[in-house]
Amino acid sequence: MQKEQIFPDVILNPDVGYWQINDNQISWSASFLDIIGCSAQDVHIDLNYFLYTVLEAGQRDIFRYNYFRLLKDGEDFEQSLTLRCKNGILKEFKCKSALKLSQKNGYSNSKIISFIPLKIKPDAHVKDDNFFYRETAEMNSTGSWYVDFIKKRTYWDQETRRIFEYPEDYIPSFKHAASYIAKDHLELAHQLFQQCAAHGKSFKTEIKALTAHQREFWVKAIGKPVYNDQKEIVGLRGVFQDIDDNKLKELSLQKTAEIISSQNKRLFNFAHIVSHNLRSHTSNLSLIMELIEETTDETEKEELLASIKDVSESLNSTIEHLNDVVTIQTRTDQNKVKVNFQDALDLVLKSIISLIIKKDVTIHSDFKQVKSINYIPAYLESIFLNLITNAIKYSQQDRTAIIAIRTYMEDGKTILEISDNGMGIDLEKYGKNLFGMYKTFHRNEDAVGIGLFITKNQIESLNGEIFVESILDHGTTFKIQF
């Protein structure tokens, strides 16, 4: 290395060591080799040797980041470093790059990194001025970013690269900005960025991002405009914080709260209806008993006694319905086992085989994508039974009833879909009451209005959801998300 190629303020002090980098080839000055107590023949003059033999371990990441930023982005840096010098003694240095200085002096292909010894040894507790930033960023999973409108470049710190699962030498690009955000949040990200860039409106939001491995996760994004001396916006800077774990818990709690609220509302309505029906039954029984006591006609008494039987059976059905709902609410964590969809369906079909034959029903099933699930077997069988028997009850008389059942994965969740070609339901008219207790939507004599109520409670008690699509005279599709 020619000394005249090196700047005087670096080479005049023999205590100052330096690197010169030309076309990514590193050469170390004799003074730097003397500082670390080695000769050129004793060492490998490269970045890895410096990182893992000379530099203190806790400072590797920040130096590596600054080094690659200098080489690839042309950004100068300055930081404090602790080097292992002669006889294994640790010494403090101010590390400073001089890319801009080298370009100014006509050496556009040269990059200089100098190592200047600190005259005053800093206190051990604060000797690394990057420690607080690095540890705080890692502890909070928070990384910084910057978009330079003048140079048309995007910069990430090392923690942002880690959060987005990119390698440490990855260079982000504004052209690829869409690949960092989940598709369903791209419009929101675009609006926030445009408002900040055009009108200086800072933002702080929670948004779904996308890692290098296409994994969606939640981040808290903060962005602010950067102004020049003329008060013009020349860039944006901000931070990303990985909040995926907390956000998913929040969404789960929110969903659970909604389900509990929905269940409480239905249970309140259920209690109101049941208490009304119980009062009606007991009133009827009391009235019949009074009539029996008052009449002397034996034929009339026999008729009244027969009425008692009818009222008693109706009362028993109401109590059974109440017991079914109470059972759902108290057994949600019991008997969860691996259940095969086809086995559960076969069991249900055997129990209603006479109805299937009588109505000439054709049933198709496809469980190739998802064959089984951890569930309460009785619940899955009940879901099949209620939805299939409903489809049969409300089939069209002028065409063969066809029921299609399949499972598949959607957004990482198991879906069970049951479709029919029956009467369909007017969802605009009955949609709000579809899963209500004792709600019926056709004039079938055997319609009770309890099946869908029970089914929804069973599904939601295990944190699932049920959706319905229907067209009058064409059919209905129930979609269960487990």
Side-chain angles (χ1 to χ4, degrees):
M1 180 184 298
Q2 298 294 323
K3 282 192 175 183
E4 59 268 24
Q5 292 180 325
I6 310 305
F7 312 121
D9 58 336
V10 175
I11 65 171
L12 290 179
N13 189 338
D15 294 328
V16 175
Y18 55 86
W19 298 2
Q20 183 171 348
I21 307 166
N22 289 297
D23 298 325
N24 295 334
Q25 294 296 316
I26 305 174
S27 57
W28 294 350
S29 69
S31 55
F32 181 78
L33 290 169
D34 187 58
I35 287 173
I36 62 175
C38 299
S39 66
Q41 291 75 30
D42 297 331
V43 299
H44 297 287
I45 300 178
D46 58 31
L47 179 64
N48 284 335
Y49 183 88
F50 174 76
L51 291 175
Y52 295 99
T53 305
V54 180
L55 183 62
E56 191 176 62
Q59 299 169 344
R60 288 171 186 162
D61 287 343
I62 190 67
F63 181 84
R64 184 189 289 110
Y65 168 69
N66 286 333
Y67 178 83
F68 283 120
R69 189 175 65 170
L70 172 68
L71 263 60
K72 297 186 177 183
D73 298 337
E75 290 295 316
D76 277 336
F77 70 92
E78 182 175 337
Q79 70 177 103
S80 295
L81 293 178
T82 303
L83 305 184
R84 191 174 299 279
C85 301
K86 293 179 182 178
N87 302 319
I89 298 174
L90 296 178
K91 291 185 178 181
E92 305 292 331
F93 291 83
K94 181 172 72 173
C95 178
K96 185 177 181 180
S97 67
L99 172 64
K100 292 182 174 64
L101 183 60
S102 64
Q103 292 175 338
K104 183 178 179 181
N105 285 269
Y107 303 104
S108 58
N109 293 323
S110 295
K111 301 174 181 66
I112 302 297
I113 301 177
S114 60
F115 298 83
I116 305 169
L118 296 178
K119 296 180 180 179
I120 302 176
K121 186 176 181 180
D123 185 88
H125 296 292
V126 295
K127 66 179 182 179
D128 184 0
D129 58 4
N130 297 297
F131 176 82
F132 178 79
Y133 162 76
R134 185 176 62 254
E135 296 301 321
T136 301
E138 290 182 4
M139 182 174 63
N140 294 289
S141 295
T142 304
S144 63
W145 55 270
Y146 176 63
V147 179
D148 190 327
F149 294 161
I150 306 301
K151 294 183 178 180
K152 297 182 180 180
R153 291 181 179 178
T154 300
Y155 304 97
W156 289 356
D157 70 356
Q158 206 61 23
E159 188 62 18
T160 297
R161 287 179 172 83
R162 187 193 68 78
I163 291 172
F164 281 80
E165 299 177 355
Y166 282 91
E168 60 191 20
D169 59 346
Y170 174 73
I171 305 300
S173 169
F174 184 69
K175 294 180 180 179
H176 302 147
S179 65
Y180 309 138
I181 305 296
K183 289 183 179 179
D184 52 338
H185 280 217
L186 273 175
E187 185 177 350
L188 171 61
H190 178 74
Q191 289 176 355
L192 293 173
F193 188 89
Q194 286 297 104
Q195 290 175 358
C196 191
H199 307 292
K201 186 177 180 180
S202 300
F203 62 84
K204 182 178 182 181
T205 189
E206 294 177 352
I207 198 167
K208 268 198 296 186
L210 202 61
T211 69
H213 302 102
Q214 302 301 300
R215 178 179 66 85
E216 290 187 355
F217 71 111
W218 284 91
V219 295
K220 179 180 287 185
I222 298 175
K224 296 183 178 181
V226 177
Y227 296 91
N228 61 13
D229 294 339
Q230 289 73 43
K231 303 300 180 182
E232 298 170 334
I233 298 176
V234 294
L236 302 181
R237 69 170 67 252
V239 297
F240 287 124
Q241 182 182 18
D242 185 347
I243 59 168
D244 196 52
D245 289 342
N246 290 336
K247 186 65 178 181
L248 292 179
K249 290 177 183 177
E250 177 189 326
L251 293 174
S252 177
L253 286 173
Q254 182 179 338
K255 180 180 177 181
T256 301
E258 290 173 354
I259 291 173
I260 291 173
S261 175
S262 176
Q263 289 179 338
N264 285 342
K265 183 178 180 181
R266 289 196 305 277
L267 286 174
F268 177 80
N269 293 334
F270 172 83
H272 175 75
I273 294 170
V274 169
S275 63
H276 176 271
N277 285 7
L278 289 176
R279 285 198 302 270
S280 176
H281 296 321
T282 55
S283 297
N284 285 337
L285 287 172
S286 298
L287 179 59
I288 292 171
M289 291 305 298
E290 288 177 7
L291 293 173
I292 290 174
E293 290 175 355
E294 292 175 0
T295 186
T296 56
D297 188 312
E298 292 301 322
T299 302
E300 188 176 349
K301 280 187 177 182
E302 289 180 4
E303 292 176 353
L304 289 171
L305 287 172
S307 297
I308 289 178
K309 181 181 178 182
D310 293 337
V311 174
S312 175
E313 289 176 352
S314 180
L315 175 60
N316 185 60
S317 295
T318 299
I319 292 174
E320 285 180 354
H321 294 162
L322 174 62
N323 182 64
D324 287 341
V325 175
V326 171
T327 300
I328 291 171
Q329 302 304 317
T330 57
R331 292 189 176 180
T332 57
D333 293 326
Q334 298 181 19
N335 304 323
K336 262 192 176 183
V337 296
K338 185 176 181 179
V339 187
N340 184 281
F341 282 106
Q342 189 65 58
D343 291 345
L345 177 61
D346 289 343
L347 189 64
V348 169
L349 295 182
K350 286 179 183 178
S351 70
I352 58 172
I353 187 65
S354 59
L355 179 62
I356 293 173
I357 294 173
K358 181 180 178 181
K359 295 288 188 178
D360 190 24
V361 180
T362 300
I363 298 178
H364 301 289
S365 62
D366 179 4
F367 303 120
K368 292 178 182 177
Q369 292 193 39
V370 184
K371 296 181 179 180
S372 60
I373 188 175
N374 286 326
Y375 215 64
I376 298 176
Y379 279 19
L380 185 57
E381 293 162 16
S382 175
I383 292 167
F384 274 134
L385 180 63
N386 281 325
L387 296 182
I388 292 172
T389 53
N390 267 7
I392 295 173
K393 285 178 185 178
Y394 304 122
S395 58
Q396 293 279 23
Q397 294 183 357
D398 60 347
R399 61 174 176 251
T400 301
I402 300 175
I403 301 173
I405 305 170
R406 69 183 183 116
T407 54
Y408 56 93
M409 297 298 295
E410 185 176 86
D411 295 331
K413 296 183 179 180
T414 298
I415 305 295
L416 169 64
E417 189 176 277
I418 301 178
S419 302
D420 65 60
N421 64 339
M423 296 180 181
I425 303 169
D426 187 345
L427 293 179
E428 290 187 7
K429 186 175 182 180
Y430 299 114
K432 293 182 179 178
N433 299 318
L434 183 62
F435 296 100
M437 190 172 180
Y438 298 132
K439 300 295 183 180
T440 58
F441 313 102
H442 298 283
R443 295 182 178 180
N444 292 43
E445 293 180 359
D446 57 350
V448 178
I450 190 69
L452 288 180
F453 178 85
I454 293 293
T455 297
K456 187 175 179 67
N457 270 268
Q458 288 173 327
I459 293 168
E460 291 189 346
S461 68
L462 295 177
N463 297 322
E465 291 184 84
I466 182 169
F467 309 93
V468 62
E469 296 177 357
S470 189
I471 301 175
L472 278 175
D473 299 325
H474 284 78
T476 302
T477 297
F478 286 96
K479 181 177 173 181
I480 296 96
Q481 177 181 281
F482 293 100

